Amino acid sequence: MHEMILCKLGEVVLKGLNRRSFEMKLMGNIRRRTGRFGKFRVYSKQSTIYVEPAEETCDLAGAYAACKQVFGIIAVARALPCAKEKEAILETAKAYLGDALTAARSFKVESKRADKSFPMSSIQLSQWVGGHLHEAFPHLAVDVHHPELTVYVEVREEAAYVHAPAEPAAGLPIGMGGRAVSLLSGGIDSPVASYMIAKRGVELEMIHFASPPYTSEQAREKVLQLARELVPWCGRLNVTIIPFAGIQEEIRRNCPEDHFTLIMRRFMMR
């Protein structure tokens, strides 16, 4: 069996009758983000989305990095599947996490038995695998409260999966929160605000008001670079750049100075 990626669902599982639409959107986002790293089979079971390489040439490391930037996932882990047998689980843990077990000073095993037909309970499986790992790596101390390394075992429908601690993620799938326009300037506030909006599932359209010759080409390029930085998190972005110097000059000539900002914002909305 080949290494794969497990994407754990967060608040998506609370969506009731709408849950499937959230999962479909999330799987579509994952397929699009991982597409440039090869062909992957993306499917959902038991509150987890599986990202499985369909070809030997797939770049799993690149796909894993991309999955960590997809909003709607609570945690991402690289895992190795194996047969649903305790001996196979133990050998997989030794081989797959051998380097990490050698480098660590303390450990514990945490098991989850989603397949209730498996003959051992979660606690029994953790104790059995943990005991044999301790024999294989005698330098390790068992620490169930603050281990340096946690070995995770998940017994699911199709296979058992062994992995190290998952990396956290968050948010809602992009596109499930509708669409919005976000103003993008050259400062830090607007890209941070855009990121936070996208994290709640909103698909963004970016607008920048440019005022040449009062603003430079470097300022325009800085805005586009900020948009590029947002793309891995927010997905595909269109940036519309609107020349605004003429409007600003007319406002300055014809409007009270203390109303300048208010009127300028009104024209931006128009």
Side-chain angles (χ1 to χ4, degrees):
M1 294 186 178
H2 299 288
E3 188 180 16
M4 59 193 303
I5 301 168
L6 303 182
C7 301
K8 304 303 181 82
L9 302 183
E11 60 184 292
V12 168
V13 302
L14 304 176
K15 295 303 176 183
L17 297 177
N18 294 328
R19 173 174 170 174
R20 190 57 185 168
S21 61
F22 277 80
E23 289 181 349
M24 294 299 292
K25 174 63 74 172
L26 182 53
M27 286 190 287
N29 292 345
I30 291 173
R31 286 190 189 97
R32 188 172 66 251
R33 301 284 187 88
T34 59
R36 61 194 177 103
F37 300 106
K39 186 177 180 181
F40 291 87
R41 180 177 171 231
V42 180
Y43 56 97
S44 174
K45 285 186 179 181
Q46 296 178 313
S47 300
T48 299
I49 291 178
Y50 300 77
V51 183
E52 182 180 351
E55 300 171 338
E56 294 288 342
T57 56
C58 289
D59 179 4
L60 194 72
Y64 178 65
C67 287
K68 290 191 291 183
Q69 295 177 309
V70 176
F71 292 135
I73 300 167
I74 196 171
V76 186
R78 292 175 65 161
L80 188 63
C82 64
K84 293 190 288 185
E85 301 168 356
K86 63 181 183 180
E87 293 82 6
I89 293 171
L90 174 60
E91 292 305 315
T92 300
K94 285 188 199 177
Y96 186 54
L97 300 178
D99 291 342
L101 287 164
T102 301
R105 290 170 294 181
S106 62
F107 86 113
K108 76 170 181 177
V109 177
E110 192 168 306
S111 301
K112 179 180 180 181
R113 187 185 60 147
D115 180 1
K116 302 306 180 185
S117 66
F118 189 75
M120 302 173 75
S121 69
S122 297
I123 294 176
Q124 289 172 335
L125 180 59
S126 294
Q127 291 174 339
W128 191 88
V129 173
H132 283 76
L133 286 177
H134 191 241
E135 292 177 5
F137 300 89
H139 71 284
L140 284 171
V142 177
D143 185 346
V144 297
H145 298 294
H146 304 289
E148 194 170 313
L149 174 67
T150 300
V151 176
Y152 289 90
V153 177
E154 301 186 31
V155 182
R156 294 179 169 270
E157 287 183 357
E158 295 186 356
Y161 301 86
V162 176
H163 63 86
E167 297 197 37
L172 288 173
I174 295 290
M176 293 307 298
R179 302 184 68 187
V181 172
S182 183
L183 301 183
L184 190 62
S185 65
I188 190 63
D189 292 350
S190 56
V192 169
S194 299
Y195 170 89
M196 294 177 71
I197 294 169
K199 192 174 181 179
R200 300 310 301 161
V202 179
E203 186 177 351
L204 296 177
E205 192 84 17
M206 314 305 289
I207 289 184
H208 173 67
F209 291 95
S211 300
Y214 306 110
T215 56
S216 65
E217 181 63 25
Q218 287 81 3
R220 179 179 180 275
E221 182 55 37
K222 183 181 179 182
V223 167
L224 294 177
Q225 182 57 37
L226 287 172
R228 295 186 192 104
E229 296 287 340
L230 287 170
V231 164
W233 302 94
C234 303
R236 294 170 292 188
L237 290 175
N238 291 326
V239 181
T240 301
I241 298 178
I242 301 175
F244 205 62
I247 292 175
Q248 288 177 307
E249 289 170 350
E250 287 298 316
I251 295 172
R252 180 69 68 188
R253 279 194 291 267
N254 295 288
C255 301
E257 186 172 350
D258 58 349
H259 284 58
F260 178 82
T261 301
L262 181 65
I263 296 171
M264 182 180 68
R265 288 177 178 170
R266 179 62 178 263
F267 272 93
M268 285 181 173
M269 289 297 296
R270 287 185 178 179

